[in-house]
Amino acid sequence: MNAFRSTTLFLFACFFFSSLAARADDPDAIVGRWLSSKKRNQVQIYKQGNKYFGKLVWMLEPTDPGTNKPKLDKENANEKLRSRPLMQLELVTNLVYKGNNTWGDGEIYNPEDGKTYNCEVSLKDANAIDLRGYVMGLSFLGKSKTWTRVK
């Protein structure tokens, strides 16, 4: 019986420590290409220095049906920026790794309403992130979306 208990304890310890290793923090875990929750856009998240950024690299409908030209940042509050193309536009800026598979202190630009929001990202698993945009520095005044990794 003593050998059975030792083996059981050993196996439990192995499973416990292997599960911790699987959830180990990886600051670069969000680096890659992500499909938006509406599945209409893809954002490439990359690291520059110790911060993370994301730019729009694919759109389901990249051209404006009325002009047959690339879609522009028409909703931007700054009139001077309304003529810039959406493709390759930096949407996520200045995310900093906070530990425990979370990134914060960044901003996200929403071209649908032309506004910039505070931003936090948390890794759900290797292929999904929860991205939260919020206002006035108050996370509870915001909305979360889940993006999935493009393979």
Side-chain angles (χ1 to χ4, degrees), residues 14-43:
C14 287
F15 285 121
F16 176 76
F17 288 114
S18 68
S19 70
L20 288 179
R23 288 185 271 160
D25 281 351
D26 178 7
D28 294 339
I30 62 168
V31 171
R33 201 167 182 157
W34 298 89
L35 182 64
S36 69
S37 59
K38 293 181 181 178
K39 301 188 182 341
R40 301 181 59 78
N41 303 304
Q42 290 180 12
V43 174

Short mmCIF file of all heavy atoms in Angstrom, two decimals, residues 14-43:
data_model
loop_
_atom_site.label_atom_id
_atom_site.label_comp_id
_atom_site.label_asym_id
_atom_site.label_seq_id
_atom_site.Cartn_x
_atom_site.Cartn_y
_atom_site.Cartn_z
N CYS A 14 3.56 15.28 -10.71
CA CYS A 14 3.91 15.45 -12.12
C CYS A 14 2.83 16.22 -12.87
O CYS A 14 3.12 17.15 -13.62
CB CYS A 14 4.14 14.10 -12.79
SG CYS A 14 5.69 13.31 -12.29
N PHE A 15 1.56 15.82 -12.68
CA PHE A 15 0.46 16.52 -13.36
C PHE A 15 0.36 17.97 -12.89
O PHE A 15 0.15 18.87 -13.68
CB PHE A 15 -0.87 15.80 -13.12
CG PHE A 15 -1.02 14.56 -13.93
CD1 PHE A 15 -1.22 13.34 -13.31
CD2 PHE A 15 -0.94 14.59 -15.32
CE1 PHE A 15 -1.36 12.18 -14.05
CE2 PHE A 15 -1.08 13.44 -16.07
CZ PHE A 15 -1.29 12.23 -15.44
N PHE A 16 0.51 18.19 -11.59
CA PHE A 16 0.41 19.53 -11.04
C PHE A 16 1.48 20.45 -11.63
O PHE A 16 1.19 21.53 -12.13
CB PHE A 16 0.52 19.51 -9.51
CG PHE A 16 0.52 20.87 -8.88
CD1 PHE A 16 -0.67 21.58 -8.77
CD2 PHE A 16 1.69 21.44 -8.42
CE1 PHE A 16 -0.68 22.85 -8.21
CE2 PHE A 16 1.69 22.69 -7.85
CZ PHE A 16 0.50 23.40 -7.74
N PHE A 17 2.73 20.01 -11.60
CA PHE A 17 3.82 20.85 -12.09
C PHE A 17 3.79 21.00 -13.61
O PHE A 17 4.16 22.04 -14.14
CB PHE A 17 5.18 20.35 -11.60
CG PHE A 17 5.37 20.60 -10.13
CD1 PHE A 17 5.45 19.55 -9.23
CD2 PHE A 17 5.44 21.89 -9.64
CE1 PHE A 17 5.60 19.77 -7.88
CE2 PHE A 17 5.59 22.14 -8.28
CZ PHE A 17 5.68 21.08 -7.40
N SER A 18 3.32 20.01 -14.33
CA SER A 18 3.22 20.15 -15.78
C SER A 18 2.12 21.14 -16.14
O SER A 18 2.24 21.88 -17.11
CB SER A 18 2.98 18.80 -16.46
OG SER A 18 1.70 18.30 -16.14
N SER A 19 1.05 21.21 -15.36
CA SER A 19 0.00 22.19 -15.63
C SER A 19 0.49 23.60 -15.35
O SER A 19 0.11 24.54 -16.02
CB SER A 19 -1.26 21.88 -14.83
OG SER A 19 -1.05 22.13 -13.46
N LEU A 20 1.35 23.76 -14.36
CA LEU A 20 1.93 25.08 -14.12
C LEU A 20 2.84 25.49 -15.27
O LEU A 20 2.82 26.64 -15.70
CB LEU A 20 2.74 25.09 -12.81
CG LEU A 20 1.95 25.04 -11.52
CD1 LEU A 20 2.91 25.04 -10.33
CD2 LEU A 20 0.99 26.21 -11.42
N ALA A 21 3.61 24.58 -15.78
CA ALA A 21 4.51 24.88 -16.90
C ALA A 21 3.72 25.29 -18.13
O ALA A 21 4.13 26.16 -18.87
CB ALA A 21 5.39 23.67 -17.19
N ALA A 22 2.56 24.68 -18.35
CA ALA A 22 1.76 25.01 -19.53
C ALA A 22 1.20 26.42 -19.44
O ALA A 22 0.93 27.05 -20.45
CB ALA A 22 0.62 24.01 -19.67
N ARG A 23 1.03 26.92 -18.23
CA ARG A 23 0.47 28.26 -18.05
C ARG A 23 1.55 29.28 -17.74
O ARG A 23 1.24 30.39 -17.33
CB ARG A 23 -0.57 28.25 -16.94
CG ARG A 23 -1.85 27.56 -17.34
CD ARG A 23 -2.87 27.68 -16.27
NE ARG A 23 -2.68 26.53 -15.37
CZ ARG A 23 -3.12 26.46 -14.14
NH1 ARG A 23 -3.79 27.44 -13.63
NH2 ARG A 23 -2.90 25.41 -13.41
N ALA A 24 2.79 28.93 -17.94
CA ALA A 24 3.88 29.85 -17.64
C ALA A 24 3.74 31.11 -18.47
O ALA A 24 3.31 31.08 -19.61
CB ALA A 24 5.22 29.18 -17.91
N ASP A 25 4.12 32.22 -17.86
CA ASP A 25 4.03 33.50 -18.55
C ASP A 25 4.97 33.54 -19.73
O ASP A 25 6.12 33.13 -19.65
CB ASP A 25 4.38 34.63 -17.59
CG ASP A 25 3.23 34.98 -16.67
OD1 ASP A 25 2.12 34.47 -16.89
OD2 ASP A 25 3.44 35.78 -15.75
N ASP A 26 4.49 34.05 -20.84
CA ASP A 26 5.28 34.28 -22.03
C ASP A 26 4.91 35.66 -22.55
O ASP A 26 3.86 35.83 -23.17
CB ASP A 26 5.00 33.21 -23.08
CG ASP A 26 5.77 33.45 -24.36
OD1 ASP A 26 6.62 34.36 -24.42
OD2 ASP A 26 5.53 32.71 -25.33
N PRO A 27 5.74 36.66 -22.31
CA PRO A 27 5.42 38.02 -22.74
C PRO A 27 5.12 38.13 -24.23
O PRO A 27 4.35 38.98 -24.64
CB PRO A 27 6.66 38.83 -22.37
CG PRO A 27 7.33 38.04 -21.31
CD PRO A 27 7.01 36.61 -21.59
N ASP A 28 5.71 37.26 -25.05
CA ASP A 28 5.52 37.33 -26.50
C ASP A 28 4.39 36.44 -27.00
O ASP A 28 4.23 36.27 -28.22
CB ASP A 28 6.83 36.95 -27.21
CG ASP A 28 7.93 37.97 -26.95
OD1 ASP A 28 7.62 39.12 -26.57
OD2 ASP A 28 9.10 37.61 -27.12
N ALA A 29 3.58 35.90 -26.11
CA ALA A 29 2.51 34.98 -26.51
C ALA A 29 1.47 35.65 -27.41
O ALA A 29 0.78 34.95 -28.16
CB ALA A 29 1.84 34.38 -25.28
N ILE A 30 1.33 36.96 -27.37
CA ILE A 30 0.34 37.62 -28.22
C ILE A 30 0.90 37.99 -29.59
O ILE A 30 0.16 38.45 -30.45
CB ILE A 30 -0.29 38.86 -27.55
CG1 ILE A 30 0.74 39.94 -27.26
CG2 ILE A 30 -1.07 38.48 -26.33
CD1 ILE A 30 0.13 41.29 -26.87
N VAL A 31 2.18 37.81 -29.78
CA VAL A 31 2.77 38.12 -31.08
C VAL A 31 2.21 37.15 -32.11
O VAL A 31 2.16 35.95 -31.89
CB VAL A 31 4.31 38.03 -31.02
CG1 VAL A 31 4.92 38.14 -32.41
CG2 VAL A 31 4.87 39.11 -30.10
N GLY A 32 1.74 37.69 -33.21
CA GLY A 32 1.18 36.87 -34.28
C GLY A 32 0.01 37.57 -34.94
O GLY A 32 -0.25 38.75 -34.71
N ARG A 33 -0.69 36.82 -35.75
CA ARG A 33 -1.81 37.35 -36.53
C ARG A 33 -3.11 36.91 -35.88
O ARG A 33 -3.29 35.72 -35.60
CB ARG A 33 -1.69 36.82 -37.95
CG ARG A 33 -2.42 37.60 -38.97
CD ARG A 33 -1.96 37.16 -40.34
NE ARG A 33 -2.64 37.96 -41.34
CZ ARG A 33 -2.20 38.15 -42.55
NH1 ARG A 33 -1.08 37.60 -42.94
NH2 ARG A 33 -2.88 38.87 -43.39
N TRP A 34 -4.04 37.86 -35.68
CA TRP A 34 -5.29 37.60 -34.97
C TRP A 34 -6.49 38.02 -35.80
O TRP A 34 -6.50 39.09 -36.39
CB TRP A 34 -5.29 38.35 -33.63
CG TRP A 34 -4.18 37.91 -32.74
CD1 TRP A 34 -2.91 38.41 -32.68
CD2 TRP A 34 -4.22 36.83 -31.81
NE1 TRP A 34 -2.17 37.72 -31.75
CE2 TRP A 34 -2.95 36.74 -31.20
CE3 TRP A 34 -5.21 35.93 -31.42
CZ2 TRP A 34 -2.65 35.80 -30.23
CZ3 TRP A 34 -4.92 34.99 -30.45
CH2 TRP A 34 -3.64 34.93 -29.86
N LEU A 35 -7.51 37.18 -35.79
CA LEU A 35 -8.76 37.44 -36.48
C LEU A 35 -9.71 38.12 -35.51
O LEU A 35 -9.93 37.63 -34.39
CB LEU A 35 -9.36 36.12 -36.98
CG LEU A 35 -10.66 36.19 -37.77
CD1 LEU A 35 -10.47 36.95 -39.08
CD2 LEU A 35 -11.16 34.77 -38.05
N SER A 36 -10.30 39.24 -35.94
CA SER A 36 -11.22 39.98 -35.08
C SER A 36 -12.46 39.16 -34.75
O SER A 36 -12.77 38.17 -35.42
CB SER A 36 -11.62 41.30 -35.74
OG SER A 36 -12.44 41.04 -36.86
N SER A 37 -13.18 39.59 -33.74
CA SER A 37 -14.36 38.85 -33.29
C SER A 37 -15.44 38.78 -34.38
O SER A 37 -16.16 37.80 -34.46
CB SER A 37 -14.94 39.48 -32.03
OG SER A 37 -15.27 40.84 -32.27
N LYS A 38 -15.51 39.79 -35.24
CA LYS A 38 -16.49 39.78 -36.33
C LYS A 38 -15.97 39.02 -37.56
O LYS A 38 -16.68 38.89 -38.55
CB LYS A 38 -16.83 41.21 -36.74
CG LYS A 38 -17.58 41.98 -35.68
CD LYS A 38 -17.90 43.38 -36.16
CE LYS A 38 -18.63 44.18 -35.09
NZ LYS A 38 -18.89 45.56 -35.56
N LYS A 39 -14.73 38.56 -37.48
CA LYS A 39 -14.08 37.78 -38.55
C LYS A 39 -13.99 38.55 -39.87
O LYS A 39 -14.02 37.99 -40.95
CB LYS A 39 -14.79 36.44 -38.74
CG LYS A 39 -14.76 35.61 -37.47
CD LYS A 39 -15.27 34.24 -37.66
CE LYS A 39 -15.32 33.38 -36.43
NZ LYS A 39 -14.56 33.70 -35.29
N ARG A 40 -13.87 39.87 -39.78
CA ARG A 40 -13.79 40.71 -40.97
C ARG A 40 -12.41 41.34 -41.15
O ARG A 40 -12.13 41.92 -42.19
CB ARG A 40 -14.85 41.80 -40.90
CG ARG A 40 -16.27 41.24 -40.80
CD ARG A 40 -17.33 42.31 -40.77
NE ARG A 40 -17.33 43.17 -41.92
CZ ARG A 40 -17.83 42.85 -43.12
NH1 ARG A 40 -18.37 41.67 -43.30
NH2 ARG A 40 -17.79 43.70 -44.12
N ASN A 41 -11.57 41.24 -40.12
CA ASN A 41 -10.24 41.87 -40.16
C ASN A 41 -9.23 40.98 -39.46
O ASN A 41 -9.58 40.22 -38.57
CB ASN A 41 -10.27 43.23 -39.44
CG ASN A 41 -11.29 44.17 -40.01
OD1 ASN A 41 -11.29 44.45 -41.20
ND2 ASN A 41 -12.19 44.65 -39.17
N GLN A 42 -7.97 41.16 -39.86
CA GLN A 42 -6.87 40.50 -39.16
C GLN A 42 -5.85 41.55 -38.77
O GLN A 42 -5.53 42.45 -39.55
CB GLN A 42 -6.21 39.44 -40.05
CG GLN A 42 -7.09 38.25 -40.29
CD GLN A 42 -6.43 37.21 -41.18
OE1 GLN A 42 -5.23 37.26 -41.44
NE2 GLN A 42 -7.21 36.26 -41.64
N VAL A 43 -5.36 41.41 -37.54
CA VAL A 43 -4.38 42.35 -36.99
C VAL A 43 -3.11 41.58 -36.67
O VAL A 43 -3.17 40.53 -36.03
CB VAL A 43 -4.93 43.05 -35.73
CG1 VAL A 43 -3.88 43.91 -35.07
CG2 VAL A 43 -6.18 43.87 -36.08
#
